[in-house]
Amino acid sequence: MEVQTKTRGTVNVDEEHILTFPNGLFGFEEYHRYALIEAEYEPFFWLQSLDERELAFILVDPFLIAKDYELDVDDRTLAEIELDTPQDVVVFVIVTVPASGGPVTANLQGPLVINRKNKQALQVILADSHWTTKHNILKALKEGKK
């Protein structure tokens, strides 16, 4: 399927990489369909809205930047996307790249949970105050290489 993107023009995306967020994302509840596209730089991905070309998010696997990262999401919430086995879970977090040149951060408190089987997804808010919305990615990656 051809997808109009914010940063790369028109790209061809396999149907397997089309995700549906029945409730949208927080602050963007009216947008439900997105394409998951590999970014130009590993380990990042783009989450590109299929409804609004100018709406795209940078994503990263939270386990790459927070080795002790844990999600505690109740079964009722996971049932919204028909998720019933851990093997079908894919998790990403949204990355913020400030225009001011400040630190690149990830929202570990509001991860995206994807059911890899049916391509349904949702954003959850974790109750654990250990995780922040401004986790410094570059600092975490440098510390991980020590």
Side-chain angles (χ1 to χ4, degrees):
M1 134 181 249
E2 286 192 347
V3 174
Q4 296 293 320
T5 69
K6 179 178 179 179
T7 61
R8 296 172 60 187
T10 302
V11 298
N12 202 12
V13 176
D14 190 309
E15 289 287 336
E16 236 181 72
H17 295 118
I18 304 301
L19 305 175
T20 301
F21 288 78
N23 302 319
L25 299 172
F26 295 113
F28 302 93
E29 289 83 1
E30 65 272 24
Y31 302 104
H32 301 275
R33 295 187 61 227
Y34 292 84
L36 186 63
I37 303 168
E38 286 187 30
E40 299 83 2
Y41 302 102
E42 286 186 31
F44 301 102
F45 289 82
W46 284 103
L47 185 67
Q48 174 66 55
S49 170
L50 298 180
D51 303 313
E52 173 54 57
R53 178 183 180 163
E54 293 302 310
L55 181 60
F57 302 93
I58 301 173
L59 306 180
V60 70
D61 178 338
F63 302 101
L64 295 176
I65 58 171
K67 300 295 182 203
D68 58 341
Y69 191 64
E70 293 180 356
L71 286 97
D72 185 18
V73 181
D74 64 82
D75 291 340
R76 194 173 79 223
T77 300
L78 296 176
E80 292 178 32
I81 58 170
E82 301 171 15
L83 192 54
D84 53 10
T85 177
Q87 292 83 355
D88 294 332
V89 175
V90 177
V91 178
F92 284 105
V93 292
I94 296 175
V95 174
T96 300
V97 180
S100 65
V104 176
T105 61
N107 179 355
L108 295 181
Q109 195 172 37
L112 309 181
V113 179
I114 302 165
N115 181 336
R116 90 172 68 225
K117 256 192 202 168
N118 66 9
K119 308 302 182 228
Q120 297 286 306
L122 54 83
Q123 184 176 23
V124 297
I125 300 297
L126 302 179
D128 187 345
S129 62
H130 176 74
W131 306 116
T132 71
T133 60
K134 299 286 183 191
H135 184 79
N136 188 319
I137 293 177
L138 297 177
K139 181 179 174 187
L141 290 174
K142 285 179 185 173
E143 289 173 357
K145 290 183 180 178
K146 291 181 183 175

